[in-house]
């Protein structure tokens, strides 16, 4: 069972900590933009403005719609599991859960703030801790599986795309792939292999204590045992719900498709050919994989580097920079703005209802 208690609530409310991460987020974002501009010395905001003005409005609308569906699809995934346990959900609930995850994941290292924020909103909607735990764990599991699935499809059908990247980009993509494999293993063990995970974690604790990086070994081992028991209890709740899990995977797969589609629609909006759209699709799927190679808020810098590195193989440097700025602006910054607004609205509604 996930411990959704006063400590979690205080963590979400901790404005000082949120401000620190927001400032860090803005600094990295500004630094990334200047780094992108530096990639092409002939770049000018006037040229970029003209580039944007000439873009096809219809395709840009489809790109923005893909962002909205990207947010909704994760919410559908979480709500699907929650409803299978008999909870009645408002149609807007899933959107707020997803927005909280996306927003706080983007502004905190290693996406560490996303799950607690989502859990807080779910808890405030009256969902039990055990259902929250199993909902978020399975969503994370299917999230990683969908990334691996699309990445493998790209490797199989478009192997040449991977080899177009330079060595550093290939390294990021390779590390990102291994990270996803590791996460799938971790979440699977949390849900189905308590003994194996307990052995791995116990060994890790013993090593850390032996090197005096942790103290009170017996106390830490007891906490680990209690945590394993709670996760196992949560896993038992959803066993046998294979149809539900299949739907959750499809929702997460659809979320990845929406995420990639944003860049494809932006590419088409600025005059890109249908013939090269598949290459953009494949490149972006590898970019998403490589984004998990570094625990940087929003994977800023790494994602920008990978996008530019891939785009410049099929277009001029100036076009690559303009496409990266516009597509990243819609797929990431616009998305974060919408999610941040949704989080503010949800938090305001919670505060207002608590005063009644």
């Amino acid at each position: 069972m996930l411990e959704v208690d006063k400590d979690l609530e205080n963590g979400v409310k901790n404005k000082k900590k949120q401000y620190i991460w927001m400032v860090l987020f803005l600094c990295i974002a500004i630094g990334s933009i200047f780094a992108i501009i530096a990639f092409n010395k002939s770049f000018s905001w006037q040229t970029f403005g003209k580039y944007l003005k000439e873009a096809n409005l219809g395709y840009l609308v489809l790109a923005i719609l893909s962002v909205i569906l990207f947010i909704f699809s994760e919410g559908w995934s979480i709500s699907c599991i929650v409803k299978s346990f008999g909870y009645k959900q408002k149609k807007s609930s899933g959107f707020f859960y997803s927005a909280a995850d996306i927003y706080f994941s983007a502004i905190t290292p290693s996406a560490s703030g996303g799950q607690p924020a989502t859990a807080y909103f779910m808890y405030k909607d009256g969902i039990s801790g055990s259902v929250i735990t199993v909902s978020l764990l399975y969503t994370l599991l299917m999230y990683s599986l969908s990334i691996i699935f699309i990445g493998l499809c790209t490797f199989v059908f478009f192997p040449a795309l991977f080899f177009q990247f330079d060595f550093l980009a290939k390294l990021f993509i390779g590390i990102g792939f291994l990270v996803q494999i590791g996460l799938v293993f971790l979440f699977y063990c949390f849900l189905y292999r308590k003994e194996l995970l307990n052995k791995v974690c116990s060994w890790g604790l013993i090593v850390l204590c032996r090197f005096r990086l942790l103290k009170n070994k017996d106390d830490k081992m007891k906490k680990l045992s209690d945590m394993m028991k709670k996760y196992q209890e949560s896993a038992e709740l959803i066993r046998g719900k294979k149809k539900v899990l299949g739907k959750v995977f499809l929702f997460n797969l659809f979320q990845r498709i929406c995420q990639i589609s944003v860049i494809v629609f932006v590419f088409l909006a600025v005059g890109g050919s249908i013939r090269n759209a598949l290459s953009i699709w494949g490149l972006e799927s590898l970019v998403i994989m490589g984004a998990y190679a570094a625990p940087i808020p929003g994977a800023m810098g790494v994602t920008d580097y990978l996008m530019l590195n891939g785009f410049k193989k099929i277009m001029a440097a100036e076009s690559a920079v303009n496409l990266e700025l516009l597509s990243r602006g819609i797929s990431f910054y616009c998305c974060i703005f919408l999610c941040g607004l949704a989080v503010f609205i949800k938090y305001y509604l919670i505060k207002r209802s608590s005063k009644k």
Side-chain angles (χ1 to χ4, degrees), residues 10-27:
N10 291 336
V12 175
K13 290 180 178 180
N14 191 332
K15 293 184 178 180
K16 183 178 179 181
K17 189 174 182 179
Q18 289 180 33
Y19 289 148
I20 292 173
W21 290 127
M22 287 178 69
V23 170
L24 179 61
F25 172 85
L26 288 173
C27 290

Side-chain angles (χ1 to χ4, degrees), residues 80-81 138 142 192 238 241-250:
C80 180
I81 300 175
Y138 267 106
M142 298 306 175
Y192 298 112
I238 203 168
K241 298 179 182 287
K242 294 182 179 179
K243 290 185 178 179
V244 174
L245 298 181
K247 289 180 180 179
V248 172
F249 173 74
L250 291 177

Side-chain angles (χ1 to χ4, degrees), residues 74-106:
E74 182 178 337
W76 294 334
S77 173
I78 297 172
S79 293
C80 180
I81 300 175
V82 171
K83 287 179 180 178
S84 72
F85 288 104
Y87 286 94
K88 293 183 179 180
Q89 289 271 284
K90 294 180 180 179
K91 292 184 178 180
S92 61
S93 296
F95 181 82
F96 288 121
Y97 301 157
S98 176
D101 182 27
I102 294 170
Y103 177 72
F104 284 100
S105 293

Side-chain angles (χ1 to χ4, degrees), residues 112-176:
S112 56
Q115 297 296 309
T118 302
Y120 171 70
F121 285 162
M122 294 175 74
Y123 176 68
K124 285 298 182 179
D125 282 346
I127 302 172
S128 70
S130 57
V131 173
I132 292 173
T133 301
V134 76
S135 298
L136 297 183
L137 278 176
Y138 267 106
T139 298
L140 284 170
L141 174 61
M142 298 306 175
Y143 179 92
S144 292
L145 281 176
S146 65
I147 292 175
I148 292 172
F149 177 78
I150 289 180
L152 288 176
C153 286
T154 301
F155 279 119
V156 171
F157 295 107
F158 308 102
L161 291 178
F162 173 74
F163 295 102
Q164 288 182 6
F165 289 95
D166 63 23
F167 174 77
L168 182 58
K170 290 175 186 174
L171 182 62
F172 281 139
I173 294 169
I175 293 173

